[in-house]
Amino acid sequence: MRKGQYRFVAGFLFVPVALYLIFVIWPYIQTFGYSLTDWKGQSQTFSFVGLDNYKALFQDDVFLEAIWHNILFLIFIPVITILLALFFAFMLNAGGRSRAGGVQGVAGSKFYKIVYFFPQVLSLAILAVLFNAVYRSDGGGLLNGALIKVGLVDAGNPVEWLNEPNVVLWALMVAVIWQGVGFYLVLFSAAMQSIPKDIYEAALIDGASRNQSFFRITLPLLWDTVQTAWVYLGIVAMDMFVLVSSMTQSMGAYGGGPDHHSDVMATVMMRNFLYYGKSGYACAMGVVMLLLTLILSVVTLRATRRERIEF
Amino acid sequence: MGSTEHHGGEGVGRRDLIKRSAALGLVTAPGMSLLSACASGGGGGNSDEGNTKGKTSKDNPFGAKSGSKLDVVVFKGGYGDDYARAWEADFGKKVGITSTHTGTQEITGKLQPRFNAGNPPDIVDDSGAQQIKIDVLYKNNSLLDLSEVLDAPSVDDPGKKVRDTLIPGTLDPGVQEGKVVALNYIYTVWGLWYSGKLFKEKGWTPPKTWDDFLAICQEAKKQGIGGLAHQGKYPYYINVAIMDLIAKKGGIDAVKAIDNLDPKAFTGSDAAQAGIEAIYEVVEKGLLMPGTNGLTHTESQTRWNQYKAAFITCGSWLENEQLKQTPTDFDMKFLPMPLLPGSKMPYEAIRAGSGEPFIIPAKAANLPGAKEFMRRMLSKEWATLFAKEANSLTILQDGVDPSVKLRPGTQSTVEASKAAGSNTFRYLYPDWYSEMDTAIQNASNELMAKRIQPKEWLKRCQAAVDKQAKDPASKKNVHS
């Protein structure tokens, strides 16, 4: 680096870092402070209660169950989304029958790419409205309507998808995955495009099958992208607030029903913060959420570390 | 797409940052004074009346100052906010105070920061799904005691106090620890609703007993119509039916037992058992509108408007909420909850009370103006404006000019409350104990889905009551 360059760079970095400290880190610190009080969220009066909120938290069945739901999302959403996106991306880029020994996608792959990307442009609120119409609990719902027509469901006794303890989490997952696959498909496609064609051609000459060329060539060269996707989807799975609060049975406020079977940490926290007026307690939940998210990020990055392959 | 080689280095940097911020947190936590400039900081002391207080007189008991400003925030839900604009225009004309008007559904989002910072509006209609809970506001000393307004002379008859012109009992839900801190302005009745047209067509008479009610549901089912609809996604609504049955069966004592967190409020209460078993009978016999347990209020009420169910449970805002979806000849009608055998209350008894809490924040900038505004809300002129604009009754006794023609549903509620006379009741626990209310709603949702039996419902509700009773603060609320 030339002389004076450091100062130049530091000058440019100062503003974003300052903003980050003021608007992200400082509120985090405050939240920790509040989590040690019995603050009720509507005024300046509160008293210090030490670690009582944290003690209560680990005996709060609803919150513990909500953590478990987040973990379930964390396991299934990334895995299913990434697998589907990888499969589709591979089919679109290297899965076609080739006539001249080259490598190409299935017929119409350009068109598919555009269609797959559609769900991604919908905001979460729209997604909730759409899937509320799909899962609607009477004959007016898309699923129930179709199943009644086919005769699988009795019209007088339709399935209440979002009011079934064993179905509700899966129903939410389907919505998230449906929306996510298109984006990661495009992401993986872009990464696949950058893989030199001659590697595939060499594999073809050596007699590699489609599966072999996927697992031996495509996946290792895409590993960085998959890792990124995993972290992003992990963040989605740790949140889920919008869909749960706007699709599931009401538990006083912010959804979470039936009987807390779809509550996630964010909905339990908001309910305590605003609806029950237990804001200090909710801040303690926020701190626990922060810790869990940090642990998760570190574990994910560590667990997926690999040698980098240059090409 | 960071390269993975450098993660180690970055990780340490991040971890250090976290360590440091955690350390900072530990330093700041005991010294909470640092936080006073944050989310809960700002504001201090009481509002200064000096610059907004004018001269008091007989027509102006609080000394509202002409030329001052009033900051009004209104929940813009089922009743809209045209009524408030009409009031504000009149207030400007008669008192000379200009109002800034905010109509919103996001009461919490918009006002919580202002309450925390100590610069709240002057008068707020704190309602809707995102209301700031009155009990929470009260516990933080954010609300003005409204006794001064209620003891002032009435606008219509200066010989009377304002509180003596209201329907008896309507101030109760706004009471916290013996003080009226919220004025529940709208007079609401709860119960069942049906279509006059449908009943005439089918030759059904409105049922007075539970057996007749079940018979009509059975009849409806035979003709491919659902019996009872409810807004299942929000179990609040089915609780209206359940709790009304309990109240009418066991009398006012059953209501008080629940409000006062009696150890035998649910388990060991015959009324509670009879009430929940009656509702469970509807579920068991398949007399619910198909799918109703999972529908939102809009979906469910609209299906009912399409003659897909004979009855629906709701409060008297139903007509106004469904204006667009109701066929012109639907002839909406209100029905008191039918009686179980051996009930202590008569059939005419209804859950009636006041809703839509208006509050004056203790730190309002223009307190005299806010008090005067509230005093005028309780005048015949403004109550009539409200009936015209919002199609609903207020807590002012005979507050509507007879020249105003009401819609069929509202008209039938007027008749029902006349018939009920003093036979009205009201549960106060939802206003006092949000968490207990949620637990009871949750239990009802499970029962409606046949996942639990009445016995288990009683157990769960009692557990919620017992949990609430452990909170020392609950000793101060007494339904007497």
Side-chain angles (χ1 to χ4, degrees), chain B residues 151-400:
Chain B
D151 292 328
S154 148
V155 177
D156 301 315
D157 178 3
K160 270 190 182 166
K161 284 181 180 175
V162 169
R163 71 166 75 235
D164 298 330
T165 62
L166 310 179
I167 296 172
T170 47
L171 292 174
D172 297 352
V175 173
Q176 296 277 348
E177 298 180 9
K179 293 192 284 257
V180 180
V181 292
L183 180 82
N184 284 261
Y185 184 68
I186 294 176
Y187 190 67
T188 311
V189 299
W190 286 264
L192 293 174
W193 297 78
Y194 63 96
S195 154
K197 175 178 180 248
L198 182 75
F199 273 53
K200 203 174 274 169
E201 262 176 24
K202 306 280 180 197
W204 298 333
T205 41
K208 292 199 170 183
T209 67
W210 190 249
D211 288 335
D212 293 349
F213 169 81
L214 289 176
I216 290 182
C217 289
Q218 297 273 24
E219 192 53 44
K221 191 183 174 184
K222 273 186 207 135
Q223 308 198 20
I225 305 172
L228 175 68
H230 72 110
Q231 301 79 339
K233 207 160 222 179
Y234 307 100
Y236 160 90
Y237 292 89
I238 195 64
N239 265 7
V240 169
I242 296 171
M243 291 294 172
D244 280 13
L245 283 171
I246 293 174
K248 286 173 101 161
K249 170 89 183 175
I252 202 74
D253 292 342
V255 176
K256 285 180 185 168
I258 295 171
D259 280 345
N260 295 335
L261 311 177
D262 193 297
K264 284 193 169 142
F266 288 102
T267 49
S269 152
D270 296 341
Q273 191 174 341
I276 194 65
E277 278 173 355
I279 289 286
Y280 193 65
E281 204 175 345
V282 176
V283 181
E284 247 187 336
K285 291 185 170 156
L287 301 177
L288 289 175
M289 180 174 83
T292 192
N293 291 339
L295 295 181
T296 66
H297 57 301
T298 331
E299 290 166 344
S300 183
Q301 288 160 194
T302 304
R303 293 298 254 186
W304 171 75
N305 273 145
Q306 297 162 345
Y307 307 110
K308 297 272 191 257
F311 301 97
I312 195 163
T313 160
C314 201
S316 49
W317 59 83
L318 177 67
E319 185 169 42
N320 212 41
E321 194 165 47
Q322 293 299 104
L323 276 183
K324 284 200 186 82
Q325 288 82 11
T326 308
T328 39
D329 58 352
F330 188 81
D331 193 22
M332 201 178 284
K333 287 264 193 279
F334 172 81
L335 178 80
M337 208 64 201
L339 277 194
L340 290 165
S343 284
K344 287 199 175 146
M345 286 190 192
Y347 158 75
E348 287 78 14
I350 45 175
R351 181 195 300 216
S354 37
E356 206 84 358
F358 280 77
I359 53 174
I360 300 181
K363 290 192 176 154
N366 189 353
L367 273 179
K371 290 179 204 163
E372 180 61 18
F373 192 89
M374 192 171 268
R375 188 176 78 106
R376 285 176 183 269
M377 278 166 60
L378 300 167
S379 68
K380 282 206 167 159
E381 189 182 355
W382 282 25
T384 305
L385 277 178
F386 186 84
K388 264 192 213 152
E389 301 288 352
N391 183 33
S392 186
L393 306 176
T394 71
I395 57 172
L396 190 67
Q397 204 141 25
D398 307 323
V400 183

Side-chain angles (χ1 to χ4, degrees), chain A residues 30 41 44 137 163 247 274, chain B residues 3 38 40 42 112 233 291 451:
Chain A
Q30 281 185 59
Q44 302 90 321
S137 59
N163 191 18
M247 286 172 70
L274 290 177
Chain B
S3 86
C38 323
S40 72
Q112 190 160 16
K233 207 160 222 179
R451 282 191 289 268

Side-chain angles (χ1 to χ4, degrees), chain B residues 26-43:
Chain B
L26 284 173
V27 173
T28 43
M32 289 307 275
S33 59
L34 262 177
L35 296 178
S36 64
C38 323
S40 72

Side-chain angles (χ1 to χ4, degrees), chain A residues 127-147 159 161-162 171 174-175 178 247, chain B residues 299:
Chain A
L127 186 75
V129 170
L130 266 178
F131 275 86
N132 270 327
V134 171
Y135 296 132
R136 192 177 149 143
S137 59
D138 64 359
L142 185 74
L143 265 178
N144 272 322
L147 291 171
V159 185
W161 304 99
L162 296 168
V174 167
W178 179 82
M247 286 172 70
Chain B
E299 290 166 344

